[in-house]
Amino acid sequence: MAILQTTELAIQFGGLRAVDNFNISINEHELVGLIGPNGAGKTTIFNMLTGVYRPTEGDIKLDGVSIVGKKPYEIVKQGAARTFQNIRLFKNLSVIDNIKIAYHNEMKYSTLEGIFRTKRYWKEEKKAHQESLDFLKIFDMQDYANTLAKNLPYGKQRKLEIARGLATNPKILMLDEPAAGMNPQETYELMDTIHFIRDKFNITILLIEHDMNLVMGICERIVVVDHGKIIAKGLPEEIKNNPDVIKVYLGE
Amino acid sequence: MKDNIKKSYLLNIVGILSIYLILKLLIGGNVLNRYHISIVIFICINIILATSLNLATGFLGQLALGHAGFMAVGAYVSAITAVALKSSGLPDTLMLVISLLVAGIFSGIVGIAIGIPALRLRGDYLGIITLGFGEVIRVIINNMKSITGGAQGFTGIPRIANFDNVFWITIIVVGILYALTHSRQGRAIISIREDEIASEAVGIQTTKYKVLGFAIAAFFAGIGGGLYAHHLAFLDPKTFGFMKSVEILVIVVLGGMGSLTGSIIAAIILTILPEALREFANYRMLIYSFILVVMMIFRPQGIFGTKEFSLSSFLHKLRYNQIISPRKEIKGDE
């Protein structure tokens, strides 16, 4: 069953049609890559899928429910998490607080219960604390729990952003250029992490990437966009040999 | 962990009680005269105003320049309520608490009404809007002669605020703000300061929490204003001008944006300082400003930055001579 499906998605900024007639269907547990040259509209597509932009035409269905016009936080509640191209962590907070903030909607106590510290407050806070620690353990970051996010090495910051997205308990995780600014060693580790989380959390992953090693190495299916339109879809092998894709990336 | 929490609760209660008893003894022994007591009460009022503004500016990260406006709303509403209750024969403290609650709720509602449109803007723009709002409130009060006494001032307010009730109300307000900033709602508020886009992307309803933070700040500013009214027993709209808002903001910035304990220390220093410098007459504001400039050059993040002073970790540090982070785990200490 398709977890994420877009039909004839389009967005217009004034006279510019940034994305046009964008149709994809991503199945459960799939790992799909979205590639294209700079300015092709990849991040715009992400922003529409996560509710930052409202598409001017078309429909997006997340797990069968239309999410067009919903606010980003509502879409998160429905099960779509994302990371950003330029890492957006809560920099001055500790690593564990970053995760706890993502647990916000899992906790249910009210503002007054929080102020007067009722039994429920202690119970839920303790549970969130424990679960966040367990979560960090999965990512092998438990030693950094009390480090400020801004003091983490770059690769770990990416990892934390992915972990924070996963802590919202999503059905689909969207990664915007996870390997940007990484060296080959870090990219290699990241590939491992992405594989690992897909199997561990049994989720679907959609990623934007420029690093071809990473895309060709882990994606099961690839969608190529240029000038806001899909120019090719298929298995990595097919994409590699597709003349249109080669033309877009290398010129004639 | 549970034992640690209990221990730090106990420690804080002991700390607060000893401050209270020392002050009480000093007052009883006539070491502190009426003038000194008045300064202590002003310190408490400034603590309430600064910690509440810190919630909006330090924790939520929204530049608000209209805190004196909320204070004015609270002061006048509280005064009007108390005058109405005067003949009811209620005990002073109960009357004070009722007036303050009415003032806080009224001020909080005004906060929501201002917050919903204003919080769509950020940074300087929000600063200008809140600044304008503060002035609007002052002008309205100035012109509602029949209710507020206008520019001649509001007289005949029962003087029901004394050292005891002001001290304990301050402790309760700070306690509530501390607990709030360490709950899931508080974390949501802090995450908006850190990165609003990321905060929405992890499922936090940013508009709701911005308005909530702003409204709670307004609520406590109203309570601070109410105490001010019941301590001075006279209100003049001129005192709630732009300079008052800036004065409170200076306390917050000096103490550290995002540190309640920092605001407390800064409120104490900045209330005592102008009084202590009184003998230098004309030079006192110069010295006051100079100290602020020096402070901003050498410690721009404020006295405590975003950290909280914690009695239990302080004692721990003294005993083991090592540094531990006060924010390490959820603790009920301050």
Side-chain angles (χ1 to χ4, degrees), chain A residues 100-154:
Chain A
K100 273 190 200 166
I101 288 167
Y103 269 119
H104 182 80
N105 290 320
E106 305 277 308
M107 293 190 259
K108 296 286 175 245
Y109 66 80
S110 68
T111 313
L112 283 180
E113 281 176 298
I115 288 173
F116 295 108
R117 303 206 161 173
T118 57
K119 262 207 176 106
R120 194 161 161 206
Y121 165 85
W122 289 111
K123 209 177 102 196
E124 291 191 7
E125 280 291 326
K126 204 175 156 195
K127 191 165 151 252
H129 188 77
Q130 195 50 50
E131 279 178 13
S132 308
L133 275 181
D134 292 346
F135 215 87
L136 289 175
K137 224 170 259 169
I138 294 174
F139 286 87
D140 201 22
M141 285 176 69
Q142 69 274 32
D143 296 340
Y144 293 96
N146 295 315
T147 313
L148 291 188
K150 65 177 174 190
N151 295 337
L152 286 178
Y154 190 77

Side-chain angles (χ1 to χ4, degrees), chain A residues 71-90:
Chain A
K71 294 253 171 61
Y73 73 88
E74 291 172 313
I75 294 173
V76 175
K77 276 187 192 167
Q78 282 202 19
R82 75 171 291 183
T83 65
F84 295 87
Q85 194 170 340
N86 41 350
I87 304 176
R88 282 181 178 276
L89 287 172
F90 305 123

Side-chain angles (χ1 to χ4, degrees), chain B residues 183-250:
Chain B
S183 67
R184 77 182 177 109
Q185 286 81 8
R187 274 198 300 272
I189 285 173
I190 295 171
S191 78
I192 293 172
R193 170 192 76 196
E194 290 294 313
D195 192 323
E196 200 176 331
I197 294 172
S199 154
E200 196 158 29
V202 293
I204 285 165
Q205 217 173 326
T206 48
T207 318
K208 178 180 149 191
Y209 284 106
K210 272 162 99 174
V211 174
L212 179 78
F214 205 67
I216 292 174
F219 176 86
F220 288 121
I223 287 182
L227 287 177
Y228 180 86
H230 295 302
H231 172 55
L232 280 189
F234 173 75
L235 290 175
D236 176 2
K238 275 204 287 297
T239 41
F240 302 107
F242 172 57
M243 280 319 290
K244 186 74 196 172
S245 298
V246 172
E247 220 174 274
I248 306 166
L249 189 66
V250 167

